Amino acid sequence: MEEKIDINPIPYLTWSWLKINKDTVSYNFSLSENYGREIQLPQGLNISSGKSINTELPEPEYAIGKEAAKLITESSKEGKIYTFTKSDSEDKALIIRINMDSNSSSHQIIHLMPGVKAKVIFLYEGGYDTQETLAGQLTKVYAEDDSQLQITKVQLCGKAVNQIDETAVVCGERAQVSLIQIELGGKHIDAGFHVSLCGYQSSFYSDTAYIAKNNQYIDMNQVVVHKGKKTTCDMKTDGTVKDNSTKAYRGTIDLITGSSGSVGNEMETTLLLSPTAIVKSAPIILCGEDDIKAEHGSTLGKLSAEMLFYMQSRGIDQATAEELLTRAKITAAAANIPDESIQNEINTYLDKN
């Protein structure tokens, strides 16, 4: 029996004819648990099974929505918990590789103890020559007071993969979390993050880069809720849409009552390289406080005449210029990934695709 679930619902509905309020995915099979392989383990890391931890931080919310989160959590029988108890003196990242050749799900918890610094990299791969699959990943992050986390998610899948990927974050006082997200492959991708800045002076930074090509569908829902005083967020999304692909973006900054002194920024930039591609964007700022600063923007454009003239004057034709600019968006985000081997894998993937 085929099931349908709504994914990436916008926090506050727009007009239905805009077709930006949500995405929908159909499936008629069960998901098996798949946590991939940990290929680099830093010191001060404890790994255990489970779906809950002891913390005074509130439970994170989900950008992908309750239906999609329920699908992943119920199909992930055990769950996996990564607890960082101290900072690694060698500054190594925890690297987790997940192959998505089969219908699968995983439910991870990343827990940073107070004052700890950590780096975590997820690399999604597979789906190059297999039948079509659906993979769901739910990553919950609890950043205790004064902790710092850099989390990276790199998706290098083949055209057979449909993916639902959630990063749900809750921050304590002065906690800092940054997210690098790179989306390059797959057939139908739903990627979301929901961040609750609960603690005083907590902060979140995101850098998302993507390429939508051929008949790909990329749907992004990014939500940051400012709850504590003097909290900060800065969200950047930059990508290219071409061929017959579709990209939908929802970006919401919610500065609720009690978040006085907070600052929120979001910027989405799209390079459109095809008249048959579809781009939908909804940047939103909600203000429940007077003493806040917030900015947002969304730009959509082709390669400018000035840039094209500059390139052609140096012997670079339009097709090559478009390829260079498309790749530059990805490499700019990838340059901040704290592992050179992962950067090299991204470049290799771009060379082949």
Side-chain angles (χ1 to χ4, degrees):
M1 179 178 174
E2 187 173 79
E3 298 282 346
K4 288 187 176 181
I5 55 172
D6 292 335
I7 302 177
N8 282 352
I10 200 167
Y12 295 89
L13 298 179
T14 66
W15 295 104
S16 60
W17 57 267
L18 294 174
K19 301 185 184 302
I20 192 71
N21 286 332
K22 63 181 180 181
D23 187 24
T24 302
V25 169
S26 301
Y27 69 100
N28 59 356
F29 45 77
S30 61
L31 304 180
S32 60
E33 200 165 31
N34 173 22
Y35 288 95
R37 297 177 295 120
E38 297 113 359
I39 63 171
Q40 181 169 279
L41 298 176
Q43 296 180 359
L45 171 64
N46 297 326
I47 303 176
S48 58
S49 297
K51 295 184 180 180
S52 63
I53 61 171
N54 293 321
T55 178
E56 294 184 0
L57 293 174
E59 280 295 295
E61 300 178 50
Y62 307 123
I64 57 173
K66 294 181 179 179
E67 289 183 83
K70 182 180 179 181
L71 169 66
I72 297 172
T73 54
E74 288 186 350
S75 56
S76 302
K77 304 302 181 184
E78 293 187 2
K80 207 159 191 179
I81 301 172
Y82 299 93
T83 304
F84 290 86
T85 60
K86 63 179 181 179
S87 300
D88 181 8
S89 59
E90 297 180 7
D91 206 28
K92 289 183 178 179
L94 165 64
I95 301 177
I96 303 170
R97 305 179 74 101
I98 300 179
N99 186 288
M100 299 195 288
D101 280 339
S102 60
N103 301 317
S104 61
S105 66
S106 61
H107 177 188
Q108 300 104 345
I109 292 176
I110 299 173
H111 186 199
L112 272 72
M113 302 306 289
V116 171
K117 298 180 181 179
K119 298 176 182 178
V120 179
I121 300 173
F122 289 90
L123 192 142
Y124 304 126
E125 55 192 347
Y128 307 117
D129 301 309
T130 62
Q131 63 181 2
E132 192 169 323
T133 63
L134 173 65
Q137 284 80 36
L138 172 58
T139 307
K140 294 198 291 187
V141 175
Y142 298 86
E144 303 283 358
D145 294 355
D146 300 299
S147 63
Q148 296 181 29
L149 172 67
Q150 183 187 51
I151 181 169
T152 301
K153 291 193 169 185
V154 178
Q155 187 264 106
L156 304 179
C157 295
K159 60 184 179 181
V161 172
N162 301 279
Q163 185 190 25
I164 305 169
D165 183 31
E166 165 74 37
T167 308
V169 180
V170 59
C171 292
E173 292 191 358
R174 295 171 299 279
Q176 300 176 22
V177 174
S178 63
L179 170 65
I180 300 171
Q181 193 154 18
I182 295 179
E183 301 287 349
L184 295 182
K187 179 182 179 182
H188 189 122
I189 302 297
D190 288 280
F193 62 73
H194 190 292
V195 180
S196 297
L197 295 175
C198 299
Y200 174 73
Q201 287 187 340
S202 57
S203 59
F204 173 77
Y205 305 90
S206 68
D207 190 355
T208 303
Y210 66 90
I211 300 174
K213 60 184 183 299
N214 301 324
N215 294 304
Q216 280 181 303
Y217 190 104
I218 298 180
D219 192 286
M220 294 174 281
N221 193 26
Q222 304 176 353
V223 182
V224 179
V225 181
H226 293 254
K227 297 181 178 181
K229 296 181 183 297
K230 295 187 177 181
T231 54
T232 302
C233 84
D234 193 348
M235 304 154 61
K236 175 188 173 186
T237 302
D238 199 359
T240 301
V241 182
K242 57 184 180 178
D243 304 324
N244 297 307
S245 63
T246 299
K247 183 271 302 185
Y249 168 83
R250 305 170 195 84
T252 303
I253 298 176
D254 192 357
L255 298 118
I256 68 173
T257 302
S259 63
S260 60
S262 295
V263 178
N265 294 284
E266 66 171 315
M267 186 64 195
E268 189 233 356
T269 304
T270 304
L271 178 62
L272 180 62
L273 298 181
S274 170
T276 57
I278 298 174
V279 174
K280 296 181 285 187
S281 297
I284 298 172
I285 289 181
L286 305 168
C287 297
E289 275 285 352
D290 294 328
D291 181 24
I292 54 93
K293 295 180 181 179
E295 296 181 355
H296 68 169
S298 180
T299 64
L300 170 65
K302 303 177 182 178
L303 183 63
S304 68
E306 293 81 4
M307 178 62 73
L308 182 58
F309 175 79
Y310 175 84
M311 294 286 193
Q312 290 177 335
S313 68
R314 282 152 179 78
I316 302 173
D317 60 31
Q318 181 171 346
T320 303
E322 291 175 349
E323 181 180 346
L324 289 172
L325 290 176
T326 296
R327 185 163 185 149
K329 293 174 181 290
I330 305 301
T331 55
N336 295 314
I337 296 175
D339 189 274
E340 188 175 349
S341 65
I342 301 297
Q343 296 179 20
N344 292 336
E345 286 195 54
I346 293 171
N347 285 320
T348 299
Y349 186 94
L350 290 172
D351 290 340
K352 293 181 177 179
N353 295 274

